[in-house]
Amino acid sequence: DAGVTQSPTHLIKTRGQQVTLRCSPKSGHDTVSWYQQALGQGPQFIFQYYEEEERQRGNFPDRFSGHQFPNYSSELNVNALLLGDSALYLCASSLGQDPTDTQYFGPGTRLTVL
Amino acid sequence: AQRVTQPEKLLSVFKGAPVELKCNYSYSGSPELFWYVQYSRQRLQLLLRHISRESIKGFTADLNKGETSFHLKKPFAQEEDSAMYYCALRADSWGKLQFGAGTQVVVTP
C-alpha cells in the first residue's frame, strides 16, 4: 500500500487561472480531508469529503471546491487563483465511521501562483 | 474559538540534552490532542495522541486541562529527532484538525 498519494507534485499557475489537485486515499479509507499549508504555517483545514459529499468546511472562500468519487479519491479545485493561494496542499485520509481514526497525510502538492 | 499555539518557532538542542516543545490550546470542551512530525523530505505523520498515553520514540506528552497545555518531552534528544513538530487539536467528531504553526527542532552533536 503506497498510502495516500497526491498529484501533481508541483504546479505553477498564473493569477486568475484555475487548478485541480488530486488525491487517492490509503487503502480501506473512505474519508478525505484537504489542508492548505502556507509557508511557515501549520496546515489549515479546507474541507472534508465523505460518501461523495462535503461533510465539513473550514474558513475558505467558495473559490475552493472539491469532489469525491465512488472509489473515494478526491479532487480539490481552486478558481480565480490569487497570489495568496500559493501553498502546499495536503490531503489526508481516514475512516469516516470512526471519529477517533488517525488521519494519514499525503506528500502534498506545491502550488505556486505567479 | 479553537486555537493551538506553539510559541517556539525553533528549538536548538544538543544531542543527549532534554527537549520540550510547548503547545497550548484554547477550546471550551474536551479536545483530543495530537503531535505530528515531519522529517526532512517526508510526509506529515502522527507521532502520538493524548488518548493513547504512550511513549513513541522516547517522546511523551501529557494533557494538562488546567493549563490547557500538551507539551511534548524527550529526556535525551537524538540527532534523528531533528524535524518539524506540529501540535494539533481535534474538536469535533468528524476529524477536522486544527494545527499550530509548528516548531523546528534541530539536534546538534
Side-chain angles (χ1 to χ4, degrees):
Chain A
D1 180 20
V4 180
T5 60
Q6 293 186 242
S7 64
T9 306
H10 297 88
L11 207 50
I12 299 175
K13 292 286 187 179
T14 57
R15 281 177 297 175
Q17 284 190 309
Q18 178 264 343
V19 68
T20 297
L21 310 182
R22 296 176 176 83
C23 170
S24 290
K26 180 179 167 65
S27 177
H29 284 177
D30 58 6
T31 300
V32 172
S33 301
W34 286 92
Y35 293 82
Q36 180 196 65
Q37 186 174 18
L39 197 61
Q41 301 295 321
Q44 288 202 32
F45 178 78
I46 302 174
F47 43 52
Q48 183 184 83
Y49 277 84
Y50 172 66
E51 293 188 340
E52 302 180 51
E53 297 283 337
E54 183 183 291
R55 181 161 73 172
Q56 198 176 19
R57 188 178 184 92
N59 189 26
F60 278 81
D62 292 344
R63 298 187 298 110
F64 289 76
S65 63
H67 188 77
Q68 185 177 35
F69 300 93
N71 67 353
Y72 308 122
S73 67
S74 177
E75 289 181 348
L76 164 65
N77 301 293
V78 187
N79 294 321
L81 284 167
L82 304 174
L83 295 180
D85 295 332
S86 295
L88 180 68
Y89 288 85
L90 298 171
C91 166
S93 74
S94 57
L95 279 172
Q97 293 291 346
D98 181 0
T100 67
D101 190 46
T102 297
Q103 291 192 21
Y104 290 84
F105 283 82
T109 293
R110 172 75 62 187
L111 172 64
T112 301
V113 182
L114 302 177
Chain B
Q2 305 151 20
R3 181 173 291 180
V4 178
T5 303
Q6 294 180 251
E8 304 123 337
K9 284 193 174 296
L10 174 66
L11 267 183
S12 185
V13 299
F14 287 107
K15 178 181 174 181
V19 60
E20 180 179 23
L21 288 74
K22 290 185 169 48
C23 172
N24 290 89
Y25 67 91
S26 61
Y27 180 65
S28 57
S30 295
E32 186 174 2
L33 276 297
F34 303 81
W35 277 99
Y36 277 82
V37 61
Q38 188 167 29
Y39 301 103
S40 179
R41 299 185 183 183
Q42 294 187 28
R43 62 187 65 192
L44 198 60
Q45 58 186 280
L46 179 67
L47 179 62
L48 54 81
R49 52 200 297 181
H50 89 271
I51 61 172
S52 300
R53 300 190 63 81
E54 58 189 345
S55 173
I56 304 293
K57 298 184 179 183
F59 285 97
T60 58
D62 290 319
L63 178 62
N64 186 323
K65 292 187 178 180
E67 296 183 358
T68 60
S69 68
F70 188 57
H71 303 329
L72 183 68
K73 301 176 185 179
K74 184 169 183 178
F76 307 104
Q78 303 300 313
E79 289 180 69
E80 56 265 29
D81 297 327
S82 295
M84 194 73 181
Y85 292 79
Y86 294 95
C87 183
L89 173 159
R90 181 161 66 195
D92 61 50
S93 59
W94 288 346
K96 169 188 170 183
L97 292 173
Q98 179 91 26
F99 285 88
T103 297
Q104 179 75 49
V105 172
V106 176
V107 181
T108 53

